[in-house]
Amino acid sequence: MTKKVLTAVFGLGRLGYWHALNVAKSRNAELVSICDVNLESAQKVAADLEVPKFTTNPDEIFQDDTIEAVVIASPTNTHFDLLKRASETGKAIFVEKPLTIDLKESLEIKSIMEQNQTICQVGFMRRFDPAYDAAKKRIAAGDIGEPIYFRGISRDPVAPHESFVKHSGGLFIDVSIHDFDIARYLMNSEIQNVSANGKVLKYPFMEKYNDVDQALTYIEFTSGAAGDVEASRNAYYGYDIRAEVIGREGSIFIGNLRQHDIQILTKAGNTHDILPDFPTRFTDAYTLELEDFFKVVLEKAVPRVTVEDGVKALEIAYAARESYHSGNKVEV
Ligand SMILES: NC(=O)c1ccc[n+]([C@@H]2O[C@H](COP(=O)([O-])OP(=O)(O)OC[C@H]3O[C@@H](n4cnc5c(N)ncnc54)[C@H](O)[C@@H]3O)[C@@H](O)[C@H]2O)c1
């Protein structure tokens, strides 16, 4: 039998459930334990996925030397502690974005991981999405010439629950961070500076957390390219994730609104479905990123999305948030 990575998952909420399912289904991993501070969630997911052990106490996972890898999908403000303990107890780590909620903590965790030689992959799953991946390959092959402009659109149909927003770091750090990462990746360039605007249009409760539900960030790359990143919680019609890279000799459009490639024609008009949510849009990407992670662990290789990528994306998101608050262009 081929070796399987014995894995535990932290956090079984909106996304953690899907990660637990993907670990359970993986040929290269075995889901041996799950942990959620909410006993009911842990119990339910353990029963659904037939996981041998569940707990509400993270210590039980860290003290178990047979567990080789952990997937961290708990709220962003809990990442730092879990990352630190996972690194110190010798686990390989897959951690959801953002790496940590605090930029200083992300630098501290990077240095802890370097000391402990921890394998850690950050959950920027767009890099594994077949459409973004194909775009990356076509850009690298020179099909559109030198990339000179990036446009990213990330719109959620509704705001997440208030308790999530409170610990999310805000729209730039929670949502735009995906586009900041994929922009660096597709454009093959660092982001030099950002100028951001934002507003609360629909969810007044966000004001309590100094957050916004709509934002636009203009970015300039060290390569001389430019771009813009829109983030929104107001796409009532569905989950709308798109991007465009304009090159000197062509342009690549990534993503569309449809889940299935069908149109329904009636006398009332022509309609098609719309992607409803992130688990549907990124089903393949969530599976592929974990498969890649387990291969990396088995081969002791370097992940496609490193801790350094996690830190860089957070630096850009912090700069965007600062620019929104100050009204100034901010160097990253
Ligand atoms: N990559 C993506 O597309 C994507 C999408 C959604 C969320 N996320 C990220 O995933 C993380 C979780 O987001 P979510 O939307 O699933 O949150 P959520 O609030 O729906 O779920 C979080 C779960 O973690 C549990 N929890 C809280 N503290 C914990 C701890 N210390 N140990 C173990 N479990 C704990 C909660 O009880 C809850 O069940 C966040 O960092 C978020 O940014 C990424």
Side-chain angles (χ1 to χ4, degrees):
M1 205 175 88
T2 44
K3 162 129 181 57
K4 290 188 170 204
V5 182
L6 303 188
T7 304
V9 175
F10 289 100
L12 304 161
R14 288 190 310 162
L15 183 58
Y17 174 83
W18 300 105
H19 282 328
L21 179 69
N22 283 329
V23 177
K25 287 195 312 203
S26 172
R27 276 185 294 124
N28 292 318
E30 191 176 328
L31 182 58
V32 289
S33 189
I34 52 176
C35 172
D36 196 298
V37 291
N38 180 325
L39 176 63
E40 241 175 74
S41 302
Q43 243 164 355
K44 186 175 178 321
V45 178
D48 278 5
L49 303 181
E50 297 176 7
V51 191
K53 284 196 228 159
F54 65 88
T55 177
T56 56
N57 178 7
D59 286 342
E60 279 185 33
I61 309 269
F62 296 122
Q63 283 160 5
D64 184 339
D65 291 336
T66 65
I67 294 176
E68 300 165 283
V70 295
V71 171
I72 299 175
S74 52
T76 305
N77 64 322
T78 65
H79 291 187
F80 177 76
D81 282 343
L82 294 174
L83 285 167
K84 189 163 179 282
R85 291 162 76 195
S87 174
E88 286 167 354
T89 51
K91 318 285 188 212
I93 306 168
F94 177 93
V95 60
E96 257 317 316
K97 50 51 66 178
L99 180 61
T100 58
I101 197 148
D102 182 89
L103 187 55
K104 277 197 221 110
E105 283 180 352
S106 77
L107 295 168
E108 193 182 331
I109 212 69
K110 180 168 171 277
S111 111
I112 291 171
M113 288 197 196
E114 279 162 4
Q115 269 166 30
N116 297 329
Q117 298 188 321
T118 304
I119 291 179
C120 178
Q121 181 173 324
V122 182
F124 287 124
M125 76 297 180
R126 291 187 194 183
R127 294 192 187 203
F128 295 87
D129 173 71
Y132 282 96
D133 188 40
K136 171 76 181 166
K137 289 181 177 131
R138 301 297 291 261
I139 295 165
D143 290 359
I144 59 164
E146 184 197 350
I148 51 175
Y149 199 84
F150 171 87
R151 167 159 294 164
I153 295 173
S154 296
R155 297 181 187 158
D156 280 331
V158 288
H161 46 92
E162 186 166 342
S163 60
F164 177 90
V165 168
K166 188 173 173 186
H167 298 298
S168 69
L171 195 63
F172 296 101
I173 285 164
D174 185 47
V175 176
S176 299
I177 199 162
H178 278 294
D179 285 293
F180 298 145
D181 175 70
I182 206 73
R184 290 179 59 233
Y185 186 62
L186 293 179
M187 303 294 282
N188 199 22
S189 171
E190 294 303 337
I191 291 173
Q192 188 167 350
N193 59 57
V194 292
S195 317
N197 282 300
K199 205 166 164 61
V200 174
L201 299 176
K202 198 171 170 186
Y203 296 98
F205 80 84
M206 293 207 172
E207 278 157 12
K208 254 192 280 176
Y209 307 108
N210 243 335
D211 199 359
V212 291
D213 56 29
Q214 188 79 37
L216 188 66
T217 309
Y218 182 75
I219 54 189
E220 289 180 330
F221 294 85
T222 51
S223 64
D228 65 79
V229 166
E230 181 200 319
S232 172
R233 307 284 197 190
N234 303 321
Y236 180 73
Y237 53 89
Y239 185 62
D240 186 358
I241 304 294
R242 285 173 282 152
E244 180 182 2
V245 177
I246 300 175
R248 288 194 189 277
E249 293 154 34
S251 194
I252 295 188
F253 287 77
I254 303 159
N256 67 49
L257 284 173
R258 295 178 191 193
Q259 181 178 0
H260 301 111
D261 196 9
I262 56 165
Q263 297 184 63
I264 300 158
L265 307 173
T266 67
K267 289 205 168 151
N270 177 356
T271 57
H272 62 77
D273 64 9
I274 293 182
L275 282 155
D277 50 32
F278 60 81
T280 312
R281 167 66 183 86
F282 287 112
T283 309
D284 291 344
Y286 293 134
T287 308
L288 291 167
E289 67 177 351
L290 277 182
E291 279 310 319
D292 217 62
F293 170 66
F294 293 126
K295 258 178 67 191
V296 162
V297 174
L298 289 170
E299 291 167 9
K300 298 193 182 0
V302 178
R304 192 181 300 180
V305 196
T306 61
V307 167
E308 187 160 351
D309 291 318
V311 172
K312 287 211 160 132
L314 196 57
E315 279 170 344
I316 301 161
Y318 259 69
R321 190 172 69 175
E322 186 187 329
S323 168
Y324 155 65
H325 285 301
S326 68
N328 298 323
K329 183 193 275 192
V330 174
E331 298 298 315
V332 176

